[in-house]
Amino acid sequence: MSDLKSASRRKSSPKSKAAIPAKAVKAAVRLRVPKPVDKATMIEIFRRLHEANPEPKGELDYTNPYTLLVAVALSAQSTDVGVNKATKDLFRIADTPQKMLKLGEDGLKEHIRTLNFFNTKAKNVIAAAKRLVDEFGGKVPNSVEILETLPGVGRKTASVVVNIAFGDPRIAVDTHIFRVANRLPLVNTKTPLETQAPLEKLIPKEYLLHAHHWLILHGRYICKARRPECWRCPVNDLCRYPDKTIP
Ligand code: SF4
């Protein structure tokens, strides 16, 4: 066989097609990831989100910091609508840690059995109520670090509670915020956990308190996971996402 023929066979074999150097693949992927927006663009993005919704609100029902804490903890792996249905009657009879303890784990389960992982959630809510009564006089502490030590309360839940109940401008990064922040992008990060600190540092102070709600609502209703609705996005011209959609 001539050298030419064997070289051509080598070229077209499936093996040689698969042998793209890893470095080249990484470089190609990097090219698809736009750099985060500059400060002026960041300010304009939040100015527009503010203009579109000056007083953004979360969608979980609650009556005080304690019921907010319980509602947020129950919302893990469940929809806000589902949690609101479950807590409608619950919060009428148990809106303090003391009353929750009186209701007890079995009583609580009766109210939340439509939610995913209701057994574990009931156990955690009761254990957290006991600690709040024993160590904090039945009050919800205004501290992410303390709240994080309660059973069933992680960094995200603690950050939502201090933001909404106490006006502490924390960004609780959930799947929506992570996605929107990396599409615009405001940041280039790999996990929700590593996204909170840079967002809290980069987002202009005047927008920090409500940024959490604006980004969640934007991700939930416009910048959706499977198919973002870019054609009706108020920050479309500022966004660097390479796969923008049209109607
Ligand atoms: S333009 Fe599209 S991808 Fe960019 S933020 Fe808006 S909805 Fe999301």
Side-chain angles (χ1 to χ4, degrees):
M1 187 190 299
S2 75
D3 282 356
L4 200 59
K5 270 188 184 166
S6 63
S8 132
R9 281 203 182 166
R10 274 202 306 276
K11 251 188 186 175
S12 60
S13 74
K15 222 176 179 181
S16 64
K17 263 189 197 163
I20 300 169
K23 263 189 179 174
V25 174
K26 273 189 189 163
V29 170
R30 264 202 307 275
L31 274 180
R32 296 275 299 160
V33 178
K35 280 193 181 146
V37 299
D38 58 25
K39 200 173 169 192
T41 308
M42 173 94 74
I43 292 172
E44 180 59 13
I45 286 171
F46 283 99
R47 193 196 64 73
R48 290 190 200 173
L49 293 176
H50 171 256
E51 192 176 62
N53 187 0
E55 288 294 328
K57 297 262 182 290
E59 295 179 326
L60 282 173
D61 295 336
Y62 64 96
T63 57
N64 58 30
Y66 176 66
T67 51
L68 173 66
L69 174 65
V70 173
V72 180
L74 293 178
S75 71
Q77 311 289 327
S78 299
T79 64
D80 288 359
V81 173
V83 173
N84 289 342
K85 269 189 196 156
T87 56
K88 196 169 171 223
D89 291 332
L90 173 67
F91 290 161
R92 280 199 200 116
I93 55 172
D95 62 352
T96 66
Q98 291 87 342
K99 290 180 192 170
M100 192 63 81
L101 286 178
K102 206 168 158 208
L103 178 65
E105 196 174 316
D106 289 339
L108 173 56
K109 278 183 196 170
E110 288 307 313
H111 288 275
I112 64 169
R113 60 175 58 254
T114 50
L115 303 178
N116 289 328
F117 309 111
F118 73 92
N119 279 316
T120 309
K121 286 176 180 174
K123 196 184 271 282
N124 284 335
V125 168
I126 295 297
K130 185 158 180 3
R131 276 205 51 213
L132 288 175
V133 169
D134 291 348
E135 297 175 32
F136 302 100
K139 296 254 180 307
V140 174
N142 177 7
S143 159
V144 168
E145 290 69 29
I146 295 175
L147 287 171
E148 268 185 316
T149 69
L150 296 175
V153 178
R155 166 62 57 107
K156 185 159 69 77
T157 298
S159 300
V160 173
V161 171
V162 298
N163 177 300
I164 299 176
F166 303 117
D168 186 353
R170 304 295 281 253
I171 309 275
V173 180
D174 70 348
T175 177
H176 299 299
I177 294 187
F178 176 65
R179 183 176 66 255
V180 173
N182 276 277
R183 273 181 181 168
L184 280 161
L186 305 177
V187 290
N188 292 147
T189 52
K190 294 208 161 45
T191 66
L193 201 61
E194 72 179 55
T195 307
Q196 179 164 355
L199 280 185
E200 286 175 358
K201 198 168 151 212
L202 289 166
I203 293 174
K205 278 205 169 42
E206 64 269 35
Y207 296 118
L208 202 49
L209 181 61
H210 292 318
H212 162 252
H213 280 133
W214 283 320
L215 293 175
I216 284 189
L217 295 172
H218 188 63
R220 198 174 276 170
Y221 296 109
I222 297 180
C223 194
K224 297 174 182 175
R226 287 214 181 139
R227 189 164 187 266
E229 297 179 2
C230 304
W231 65 90
R232 61 185 199 93
C233 173
V235 292
N236 185 316
D237 57 315
L238 306 172
C239 172
R240 298 176 175 180
Y241 184 56
D243 298 317
K244 283 186 200 166
T245 59
I246 48 173

